[in-house]
Amino acid sequence: MASDATGGGAFDVVAWSGRVRALAAERDAVILAHNYQVPEIQDVAHHVGDSLALSRIAASAPQSTIVFCGVHFMAETAKILSPDKTVIIPDERAGCSLADTITADQLRAWKAEHPGAVVVSYVNTTAAVKAETDICCTSSNAVEVVRSIPADTEILFCPDQFLGAHVQRVTGRRNMHIWMGECHVHAGINGQDLKAMVAAEPDAELFVHPECGCATSAMYLASEGIVPRERTRILSTGGMLDAARTTTAVKVLVATETGMLHQLRRANTRTIFEPVNRAAVCKYMKMITPERLENALRTGNDVVDVPRDIADRARTSVERMIAIGTPSPVGE
Ligand code: 13P
Ligand code: SF4
């Protein structure tokens, strides 16, 4: 028996996993789980990964149904890439505070102020915003996406200000305008938390997601020599996993949503992985519970649909995203 993950009585994870896999097979469904999902869901999924890896799998999966254990924009992206497949999310209320920081109307108004600019949108956006976008990116390939745009072309980058600042720093791009959006979970991991942890753990490595409010601070600490540059790494969630497999550090401090720790600890049992902020929990990601996943496989709810005209306009920007870069670190 495992801990009670359903909010009800005792939870038999082995029996539950067996039921979930059997129901998925009956439905011809593949279960995809983001790295921030609860451990039980990561363990039962057919594939676990970051936004880019999961988009790529969604585009090529042979199954007729995709069950997306993540947040709504991720399931929408799968639907945009595979319009003829059924895409299910176990709870359609699983939104994203970052995706909510820009609407299609706001983006249209911004574009009108910068005619001729190329719009780069982070994948954490609604389908309607993607339909107004030239090329999407994830934290895995944002640097490569920006580098793929001719140097003399203006760029509108939305909606994450911290990822935007990171990409600007790495590419040295001056003609890039950045939308001032943020994710409440990552913005809450701030420079103060990071400084305190670094002071307490001077030998630890640092893995920092570029959405974090502390990403800029991490690079500042590195450039000031307060933390050694070679031990400070700005990484997507997939990049963190690659780095975890090869690190020889005794301890790694991890600045991202705490669901990530499950995969890191599985990938490397010799190193201690500790969160920079234990309260960095995405309530939207955690809406996908084991109980809701099983229920979704039984009932086929909640189905994710994207209106055809929006999906058709959004597809090019998403296809460009999955064609660029490998699921590797965004810059170290
Ligand atoms: P990744 O692209 O690194 O998977 O991150 C997605 C996300 O929602 C971060 O909060
Ligand atoms: Fe959105 Fe932030 Fe949650 Fe990621 S952690 S899904 S960006 S609210």
Side-chain angles (χ1 to χ4, degrees):
M1 295 277 187
S3 59
D4 177 7
T6 63
F11 176 60
D12 182 341
V13 74
V14 176
W16 170 81
S17 301
R19 291 196 302 277
V20 162
R21 280 303 188 104
L23 288 163
E26 272 170 38
R27 229 176 231 289
D28 186 32
V30 62
I31 303 171
L32 308 184
H34 189 265
N35 288 322
Y36 297 161
Q37 290 289 293
V38 295
E40 293 85 352
I41 289 183
Q42 294 191 31
D43 291 347
V44 84
H46 296 104
H47 302 280
V48 185
D50 66 7
S51 309
L52 185 59
L54 294 178
S55 299
R56 286 181 170 142
I57 293 166
S60 60
Q63 290 84 353
S64 58
T65 296
I66 297 169
V67 177
F68 215 115
C69 298
V71 292
H72 198 263
F73 76 79
M74 295 180 178
E76 269 189 344
T77 306
K79 184 68 184 176
I80 290 165
L81 286 165
S82 301
D84 298 327
K85 288 186 184 165
T86 302
V87 177
I88 294 170
I89 186 165
D91 191 331
E92 66 183 1
R93 296 169 301 173
C96 169
S97 62
L98 176 56
D100 287 344
T101 60
I102 188 163
T103 65
D105 279 347
Q106 287 173 314
L107 179 51
R108 274 190 288 271
W110 201 28
K111 282 165 68 172
E113 289 169 19
H114 298 275
V118 167
V119 176
V120 178
S121 294
Y122 193 30
V123 70
N124 297 42
T125 43
T126 62
V129 167
K130 289 185 176 79
E132 295 292 334
T133 294
D134 295 301
I135 178 161
C136 289
C137 69
T138 74
S139 51
S140 280
N141 68 358
V143 167
E144 284 137 302
V145 166
V146 164
R147 283 192 175 134
S148 75
I149 297 164
D152 56 356
T153 304
E154 239 187 334
I155 295 175
L156 301 182
F157 186 97
C158 72
D160 189 73
Q161 58 179 298
F162 298 111
L163 178 64
H166 170 69
V167 171
Q168 196 160 40
R169 187 187 57 76
V170 174
T171 61
R173 192 88 182 205
R174 292 263 160 263
N175 54 354
M176 180 171 152
H177 306 275
I178 300 170
W179 192 260
M180 285 292 118
E182 64 180 27
C183 150
H184 71 291
V185 179
H186 283 89
I189 306 172
N190 57 40
Q192 288 308 107
D193 293 336
L194 190 66
K195 272 186 203 156
M197 290 288 278
V198 166
E201 304 278 0
D203 295 328
E205 265 186 18
L206 273 180
F207 289 180
V208 181
H209 195 280
E211 277 180 30
C212 288
C214 65
T216 317
S217 171
M219 295 325 298
Y220 169 77
L221 293 178
S223 65
E224 292 295 299
I226 297 168
V227 293
R229 201 170 246 291
E230 65 280 6
R231 290 212 300 267
T232 304
R233 312 179 77 183
I234 311 287
L235 300 161
S236 69
T237 60
M240 286 185 186
L241 204 49
D242 291 341
R245 292 194 183 101
T246 55
T247 185
T248 52
V250 174
K251 190 175 269 193
V252 174
L253 305 176
V254 182
T256 193
E257 210 273 354
T258 56
M260 188 66 219
L261 294 163
H262 183 59
Q263 288 300 321
L264 296 176
R265 288 169 179 159
R266 274 178 53 148
N268 176 345
T269 51
R270 301 170 312 278
T271 296
I272 300 162
F273 294 93
E274 241 183 59
V276 170
N277 182 346
R278 283 176 201 286
V281 176
C282 176
K283 66 177 179 185
Y284 302 113
M285 285 282 179
K286 272 38 178 191
M287 281 180 178
I288 311 302
T289 60
E291 192 180 24
R292 287 181 185 149
L293 171 57
E294 183 174 348
N295 196 42
L297 285 161
R298 287 192 193 285
T299 63
N301 290 321
D302 294 327
V303 171
V304 176
D305 267 322
V306 178
R308 273 275 170 180
D309 59 321
I310 291 182
D312 289 347
R313 284 194 291 129
R315 192 164 304 114
T316 311
S317 62
V318 177
E319 283 176 348
R320 284 178 179 151
M321 170 186 90
I322 61 173
I324 293 185
T326 49
S328 59
V330 286
E332 294 172 47

